[in-house]
């Protein structure tokens, strides 16, 4: 009776059945073979296994696997095996059933996928860096086994993001941060465009609720205007396409709130100055598969007869698909009102791949002997495997290496024989050498780009012809790591350097051993410590490296140090183990009584930032310099010290992803007493007296304390950076409002 008063079982059963029926309907409408029975069995099994369990939101647990299966079917376009695995994905982890049970009932394939999903559960990021990399490696390994594991994991993450509201705030930041750090880039790389966009928008919404809302509002306010532009721009296009006799659909593509915000942040411009919010998408149906590609160009030719086409902004992803499988022709056309509008032309088939990703259309290799046709996705998976084969000692380095490859956009370069190679943007000649062959990379001395000699650090551009020059006597140089940009090159360079280092180190070890024997000294820890200490090394490895490379020669002084019984060593060790706690900002009044206060931090409760706590307990991060009114959060270190970062701070995003459990939510409660440093950037058309007007407003009218002012005038454009002290975000807003009144000033934005 009591239970029923909280959860109406009948009502809930109805909701569950409706959700499952919706999934079945979606599946039956898809192009897959109709294996309805096994899906029904998986549903019944999962429902019974999760019986009585609830999600944090209070709803029956089974609704989560159903929702994940729905995404797998509808947004990723996968078939019955994946739908079953999605329905069963939490069974092994959360109930008493084992992988064997699943295998017995649903067969090996489903069981293998569920097993993969169970292994990577619990988030990519554990509490420790090593754990983090291990989990991430597991994820990538299972991905290269069967990509469906990672695709279902994506769907799982998407549903968890959609239901993030019922989590405690500190968990929300951790999950949102992790999503932005790794899942969205992965979704991008796998071509899961709609999922990537939704993941980014959801993360953004939780990280910056106010800014998200503001952009949403502005999008709604400008909607009617966009509709008019769209209707006027596309009317002549429709007429042309009708005469071509081709089936088509024209859609508005509106930039996502996250992308808009991202552009505002990186270009320091307000919403009004984002000009590519609207793009036009033409999806055509080819009568014949053979003409699919040429149809696309024919459409473009028709369009260029109506509108002027921007000569430098034609992107041919038709003949050269992106690494994630994306195919389309992008052109930028001048509307009759003089605005540039991007038009994306793609076939129905290309559109499906663009939205759902390549994987859904990817042939699984079973019984397929046509292995020659290696798709871009396979190539990428192969790179991942290569990186995994080479164990990296540093976990964060490993993550960064993989991440490098996730967001890179591509350029095309040619070999001397005219072969086309896809490379990431901003890559160097050295990267290119390594992409062709490790030998070429490790022995290259320079390159010829378009027949001109260039250094290895030379940045490549689309269309370049690149010839790599090698010499057998050349070796990998440590500074190469600075201008290698691809994961593959970086990884190879590090691996070769490490291998060479190990050899030198081994030589050093031998020398050290002989030295101990010769001097009749004991080869023990205490003696080693003394030597390590004497030569200012971190450990034995470093010492051996110095000895091996001849930078350290062992002699009398070493013998003396080992024969001494002083406690000098202990003293120095003690010094180096004192925790680093931002000494600069540490307040003198931070006494032991503060520590007791600090220990009480409850990660489930937001901390309050006011005049008192800010001066006594919390540290404002230098990297992003948050001020009252900013969306912020706190990171608690092992000593219980809390550092306050802006939520969008890139440092914070990294910390969030790696040290999730030590995040605390923070709220401001200041009263315009303390002042904080902040940076403004101003830009406009230069005129005599402009600088005077700016400083006049700042120090005269507003009485603001300016710390630094730098101005540059180039080709009549005035650009300046102002560092000043303010109380809070409101101060900045009123300063910006005042500055807007200065004649000639076009943009004023906050940098940090
Ligand atoms: Mn799940």
């Amino acid at each position: 009776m009591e239970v029923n008063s909280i959860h109406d079982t009948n009502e809930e059963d109805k909701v569950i059945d409706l959700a499952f029926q919706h999934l079945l309907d979606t599946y039956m409408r898809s192009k897959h073979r109709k294996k309805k029975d096994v899906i029904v069995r998986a549903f019944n099994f999962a429902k019974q296994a999760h019986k009585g369990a609830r999600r944090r939101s209070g709803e029956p647990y089974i609704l989560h696997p159903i929702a994940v299966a729905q995404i797998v079917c509808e947004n990723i376009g996968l078939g019955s095996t994946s739908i079953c695995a999605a329905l069963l994905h939490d069974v092994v982890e959360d109930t008493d059933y084992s992988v064997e049970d699943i295998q017995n009932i649903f067969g090996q394939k489903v069981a293998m996928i569920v097993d993969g999903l169970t292994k990577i559960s619990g988030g990519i990021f554990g509490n420790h860096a090593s754990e983090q990399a291990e989990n991430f490696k597991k994820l990538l390994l299972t991905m290269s086994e069967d990509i469906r594991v990672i695709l279902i994991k994506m769907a799982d993450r998407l549903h968890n993001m959609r239901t993030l509201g019922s989590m405690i705030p500190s968990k929300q930041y951790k999950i949102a941060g992790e999503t932005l750090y790794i899942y969205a880039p992965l979704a991008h790389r796998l071509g899961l465009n709609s999922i990537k966009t939704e993941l980014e928008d959801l993360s953004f919404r939780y990280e910056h609720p106010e800014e998200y809302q503001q952009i949403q509002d502005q999008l709604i306010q400008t909607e009617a205007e966009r509709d008019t532009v769209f209707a006027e721009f596309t009317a002549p296009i429709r007429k042309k396409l009708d005469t071509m006799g081709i089936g088509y659909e024209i859609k508005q593509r509106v930039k996502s709130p996250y992308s808009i915000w991202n552009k505002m942040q990186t270009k320091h411009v307000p919403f009004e100055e984002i000009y590519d919010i609207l793009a036009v998408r033409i999806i055509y149906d080819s009568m014949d598969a053979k003409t699919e590609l040429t149809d696309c160009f024919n459409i473009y030719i028709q369009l260029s007869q109506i509108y002027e086409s921007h000569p430098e902004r034609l992107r041919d992803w038709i003949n050269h698909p992106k690494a994630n499988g994306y195919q389309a022709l992008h052109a930028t056309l001048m509307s009759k009102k003089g605005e540039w509008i991007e038009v994306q032309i793609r076939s129905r088939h290309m559109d499906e791949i663009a939205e759902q990703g390549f994987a859904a259309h990817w042939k699984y290799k079973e019984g397929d002997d046509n292995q020659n046709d290696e798709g871009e996705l396979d190539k990428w998976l192969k790179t991942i495997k290569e990186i995994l084969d080479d164990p990296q000692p540093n976990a964060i380095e490993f993550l960064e290496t993989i991440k490098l490859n996730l967001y890179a956009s591509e350029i095309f370069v040619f070999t001397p024989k005219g072969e086309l190679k896809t490379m990431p943007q901003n890559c160097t000649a050295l990267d290119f050498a390594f992409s062709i062959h490790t030998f070429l990379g490790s022995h290259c001395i320079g390159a010829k780009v378009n027949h001109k000699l260039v250094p290895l650090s030379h940045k490549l551009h689309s269309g370049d012809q690149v010839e790599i020059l090698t010499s057998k006597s050349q070796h990998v140089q440590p500074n190469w790591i600075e201008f290698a940009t691809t994961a593959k090159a970086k990884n190879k360079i590090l691996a070769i350097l490490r291998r060479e280092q190990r050899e030198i180190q081994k030589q050093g070890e031998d020398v050290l051993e002989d030295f101990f024997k010769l001097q009749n000294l004991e080869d023990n820890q205490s003696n080693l410590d003394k030597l390590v200490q004497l030569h200012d090394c971190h450990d034995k490895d470093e010492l051996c490296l110095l000895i091996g490379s001849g930078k350290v020669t062992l002699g009398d002084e070493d013998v003396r140090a080992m024969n001494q019984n002083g406690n000098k060593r202990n003293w120095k060790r003690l010094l180096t183990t004192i925790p680093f706690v931002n000494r600069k900002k540490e307040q003198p009044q931070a006494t032991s009584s503060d520590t007791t206060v600090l220990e009480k931090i409850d990660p489930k409760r937001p901390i309050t930032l006011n005049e008192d706590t800010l001066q006594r307990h919390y540290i404002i991060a230098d990297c992003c310099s948050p001020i009252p009114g900013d969306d912020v959060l706190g990171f608690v270190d092992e000593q219980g010290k809390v550092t306050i970062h802006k939520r969008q701070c890139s440092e914070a995003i990294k910390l969030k992803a790696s040290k999730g459990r030590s995040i605390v939510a923070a709220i401001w409660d200041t009263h315009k007493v303390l002042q904080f440093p902040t940076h403004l950037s101003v830009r406009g058309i230069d005129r005599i007296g402009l600088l005077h007007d700016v400083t006049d407003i700042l120090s005269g009218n507003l009485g603001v304390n300016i710390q630094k002012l730098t101005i540059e005038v180039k080709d009549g454009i005035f650009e300046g950076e102002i560092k000043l002290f303010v109380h809070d975000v409101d101060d900045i807003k009123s300063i910006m409002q005042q500055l807007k009144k200065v004649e000639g000033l076009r943009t004023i934005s906050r940098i940090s």
Side-chain angles (χ1 to χ4, degrees):
M1 195 51 198
E2 259 178 43
V3 174
N4 280 349
S5 67
I6 308 168
H7 303 289
D8 186 331
T9 325
N10 276 337
E11 243 347 277
E12 284 187 343
D13 276 342
K14 251 188 243 165
V15 173
I16 294 168
D17 287 342
L18 265 176
F20 181 62
Q21 194 52 53
H22 178 51
L23 169 66
L24 272 186
D25 292 345
T26 314
Y27 173 68
M28 294 310 275
R29 274 198 312 270
S30 76
K31 288 172 200 150
H32 290 277
R33 280 176 291 168
K34 314 294 178 215
K35 292 192 190 165
K36 192 173 154 182
D37 289 356
V38 68
I39 295 177
V40 174
R41 266 196 293 141
F43 163 67
N44 286 327
F45 186 88
K47 187 181 168 188
Q48 175 261 331
H50 291 298
K51 201 174 176 70
R54 289 184 183 280
R55 297 201 93 205
R56 187 177 275 274
S57 60
E59 60 175 28
Y61 198 88
I62 185 68
L63 286 173
H64 166 63
I66 296 175
V68 174
Q70 180 73 35
I71 296 166
V72 161
C73 176
E74 189 177 333
N75 303 85
I76 312 183
L78 296 175
S80 61
T81 306
S82 306
I83 294 173
C84 287
L87 286 168
L88 298 164
H89 82 272
D90 278 334
V91 165
V92 175
E93 165 128 43
D94 295 344
T95 76
D96 293 334
Y97 290 99
S98 67
V99 178
E100 286 73 42
D101 296 328
I102 306 254
Q103 175 157 0
N104 289 337
I105 308 170
F106 298 99
Q108 211 211 322
K109 257 192 254 161
V110 174
M112 206 191 78
I113 297 173
V114 172
D115 189 35
L117 285 161
T118 309
K119 279 187 193 141
I120 51 172
S121 68
I124 304 220
F125 303 108
N127 236 2
H128 308 288
S130 55
E131 216 175 284
Q132 194 185 123
E134 270 321 302
N135 278 325
F136 189 63
K137 268 189 192 171
K138 256 190 251 165
L139 179 103
L140 294 173
L141 274 173
T142 31
M143 174 166 89
S144 41
E145 286 301 322
D146 190 327
I147 195 138
R148 286 175 288 191
V149 175
I150 187 71
L151 295 173
I152 298 168
K153 185 75 196 165
M154 284 289 169
D156 186 28
R157 173 54 57 125
L158 178 57
H159 186 243
N160 286 335
M161 283 300 293
R162 283 179 184 166
T163 52
L164 200 57
S166 48
M167 289 279 181
I168 56 168
S170 63
K171 268 243 160 123
Q172 288 178 357
Y173 301 143
K174 179 182 159 68
I175 295 174
E178 203 180 79
T179 300
L180 214 51
Y181 185 78
I182 207 76
Y183 282 95
L186 256 178
H188 168 77
R189 207 61 173 87
L190 293 167
L192 304 168
N193 197 36
S194 66
I195 289 185
K196 174 207 154 214
T197 307
E198 195 179 340
L199 285 176
E200 284 174 345
D201 278 343
L202 284 166
S203 302
F204 175 40
R205 202 175 105 192
Y206 282 99
E207 305 235 321
H208 309 286
E210 280 177 20
E211 279 150 300
Y212 175 83
Q213 199 46 54
Q214 201 178 353
I215 290 178
Q216 278 289 31
D217 292 346
Q218 279 167 309
L219 278 174
I220 293 168
Q221 281 162 26
T222 49
E223 197 180 345
E225 198 184 312
R226 265 195 313 276
D227 286 346
T228 319
V229 171
F230 177 75
E232 283 174 8
F233 182 75
T234 53
I237 295 180
R238 287 176 201 279
K239 257 193 208 156
K240 273 274 187 199
L241 294 179
D242 287 341
T243 59
M244 279 179 81
I246 198 165
Y248 68 89
E249 193 186 338
I250 304 184
K251 284 184 188 168
Q252 264 194 57
R253 194 281 289 142
V254 180
K255 216 177 179 64
S256 74
Y258 174 78
S259 308
I260 293 172
W261 178 75
N262 211 8
K263 199 158 190 178
M264 287 165 66
Q265 298 289 312
T266 50
K267 301 236 157 131
H268 301 301
V269 292
F271 181 90
E272 297 74 28
E273 283 179 41
I274 308 278
Y275 295 111
D276 58 350
I277 290 177
L278 170 73
V280 170
R281 191 170 284 163
I282 300 173
I283 299 151
Y284 62 92
D285 300 294
S286 277
M287 307 275 229
D288 190 342
K290 279 182 214 144
T291 62
E292 191 183 337
L293 302 190
T294 44
D295 283 346
C296 188
F297 289 95
N298 286 334
I299 291 173
Y300 168 68
I301 290 165
Q302 295 299 321
L303 299 191
S304 60
Q305 283 170 8
I306 315 171
Y307 299 114
E308 206 61 55
S309 173
H310 196 301
E312 274 158 32
R313 289 203 219 148
L314 189 65
R315 297 279 178 274
D316 175 11
W317 305 114
I318 294 281
N319 288 307
H320 311 297
K322 289 191 191 182
N324 63 16
Y326 182 81
Q327 267 189 306
L329 187 67
H330 289 192
T332 303
L333 305 175
M334 172 76 83
S335 78
K336 301 282 182 220
K337 286 194 173 142
E339 296 163 319
W340 290 111
I341 294 178
E342 185 180 90
V343 182
Q344 308 167 350
I345 312 167
R346 58 206 199 196
S347 71
R348 181 79 51 197
H349 174 67
M350 295 171 195
D351 185 57
E352 269 168 22
I353 291 176
E355 293 304 313
Q356 301 193 324
F358 210 25
H361 303 262
W362 197 46
K363 298 274 175 287
Y364 295 101
K365 290 273 156 69
E366 291 161 73
D368 183 6
D369 23 69
N370 185 16
Q371 300 258 344
N372 299 334
D373 183 30
E374 204 180 70
E376 290 292 337
L377 188 64
D378 292 86
K379 274 191 221 156
W380 187 65
L381 289 176
K382 239 174 89 185
T383 316
I384 293 283
K385 268 189 191 150
E386 272 176 32
I387 296 171
L388 287 171
D389 283 343
D390 196 27
Q392 293 251 15
N394 183 335
I396 297 291
E397 200 176 275
F398 167 75
L399 281 177
E400 291 293 325
T401 309
I402 294 278
K403 252 179 72 75
L404 266 181
N405 260 23
L406 294 177
Y407 262 137
S409 54
E410 291 129 57
I411 59 166
F412 305 109
V413 291
F414 296 92
T415 67
K417 285 178 187 160
E419 216 182 309
L420 186 75
K421 295 273 171 194
T422 313
M423 292 294 296
Q425 211 163 40
N426 295 322
C427 73
T428 58
L430 183 67
D431 293 318
F432 180 76
F434 273 102
S435 82
I436 305 236
H437 199 281
T438 307
F439 182 86
L440 210 57
S442 53
H443 291 87
C444 63
I445 47 172
K448 274 186 175 175
V449 171
N450 306 325
H451 308 293
K452 238 178 77 188
L453 197 66
V454 297
L456 290 172
S457 56
H458 180 86
K459 265 195 186 144
L460 301 181
H461 299 279
S462 230
D464 279 350
Q465 191 190 49
V466 190
E467 185 188 349
I468 298 296
L469 309 170
T470 58
S471 156
K472 270 194 188 143
S473 57
Q474 173 72 304
H475 283 287
V476 170
Q477 303 298 311
N479 70 327
W480 284 9
I481 204 72
E482 285 156 35
F483 46 84
T485 71
T486 61
K488 189 170 178 176
K490 265 188 192 283
N491 208 50
K492 287 283 181 213
I493 292 169
L494 283 174
I496 293 170
L497 288 175
R498 266 198 305 273
R499 203 172 55 218
E500 286 176 356
Q501 250 187 19
R502 272 196 299 273
E503 275 162 27
I504 298 172
Q505 206 175 300
K506 184 80 201 19
Q507 287 164 12
E509 257 174 54
D510 293 345
V511 171
L512 184 66
E513 221 172 274
D514 291 348
F515 181 73
F516 276 129
K517 269 187 208 152
L518 193 74
Q519 299 292 338
N520 216 359
L521 283 159
E522 224 179 309
D523 186 356
N524 59 19
Q525 194 59 43
S526 148
N527 275 341
L528 265 178
D529 283 350
K530 282 175 190 160
L531 289 183
V532 163
Q533 149 73 17
L534 180 70
H535 295 285
D536 255 338
C537 299
H538 284 101
D539 51 17
K540 186 190 170 190
D541 288 353
E542 195 186 339
L543 178 69
C544 290
L545 195 64
L546 291 176
I547 297 173
S549 61
K551 282 178 190 144
V552 161
T553 318
L554 297 171
D556 293 347
E557 207 187 324
D558 297 275
V559 180
R560 231 175 293 134
M562 282 187 275
N563 286 331
Q564 237 169 40
N565 267 336
N567 53 2
K568 200 172 132 215
R569 173 185 67 88
N570 297 335
W571 171 236
K572 191 158 181 187
R573 169 113 340 148
L574 199 70
L575 266 180
T576 51
T577 49
I578 289 174
F580 177 72
V581 280
N582 203 348
R583 292 182 192 117
K584 205 172 52 186
K585 294 250 167 116
E586 206 175 9
Q587 298 297 319
Q589 62 263 58
T591 58
S592 57
S593 68
D594 287 337
T595 327
T596 48
V597 180
L598 290 176
E599 275 166 10
K600 280 187 207 148
I601 287 172
D602 175 358
K604 291 182 185 167
R605 289 235 180 99
I607 53 170
T608 307
L609 309 173
N610 56 35
E611 278 75 9
D612 180 47
T613 58
L614 275 171
Q615 277 179 309
R616 284 154 55 88
H617 305 318
Y618 306 132
I619 301 160
I620 299 284
D622 281 336
C623 48
C624 53
S625 319
I627 64 170
D630 284 331
D631 288 332
V632 288
L633 43 80
F635 288 96
V636 192
D637 69 8
E638 281 103 42
Q639 280 76 39
K641 278 267 177 193
V642 182
T643 311
I644 308 299
H645 283 266
K646 269 201 212 168
R647 278 191 222 160
Q648 80 253 37
C649 168
S650 59
E651 205 51 42
I653 289 175
K654 264 192 218 157
L655 285 171
K656 231 180 302 176
S658 56
K659 298 189 177 161
R661 266 179 227 165
S662 47
I663 295 172
V664 279
I667 42 175
W668 296 100
D669 181 30
T670 49
H671 306 88
K672 291 194 186 276
V673 178
L674 293 177
Q675 289 204 326
F676 301 84
T678 193
H679 273 86
L680 291 183
S681 127
V682 291
R683 209 170 69 223
I685 295 156
D686 192 38
R687 63 173 167 82
I688 293 165
L690 180 65
L691 182 61
H692 176 260
D693 289 354
V694 170
T695 50
D696 210 33
I697 285 198
L698 290 174
S699 49
N701 298 359
L702 294 162
V704 172
N705 182 0
I706 303 178
Q707 201 197 12
K708 200 176 155 195
L709 182 72
T710 45
I711 298 293
E712 204 183 339
V713 179
K714 228 196 268 164
D715 301 330
I717 300 295
F718 168 99
E719 257 181 5
E721 226 184 279
I722 311 165
K723 191 175 179 191
L724 37 79
F725 284 97
V726 294
H727 296 108
D728 51 25
V729 169
D730 287 342
D731 275 7
I732 292 190
K733 279 184 189 155
S734 64
I735 290 168
M736 285 167 92
Q737 254 164 22
Q738 291 285 324
L739 285 177
K740 267 186 190 155
K741 291 178 191 159
V742 175
E743 193 199 321
L745 265 200
R746 288 293 166 86
T747 52
I748 304 136
S749 53
R750 188 175 155 203
I751 308 174
S752 68

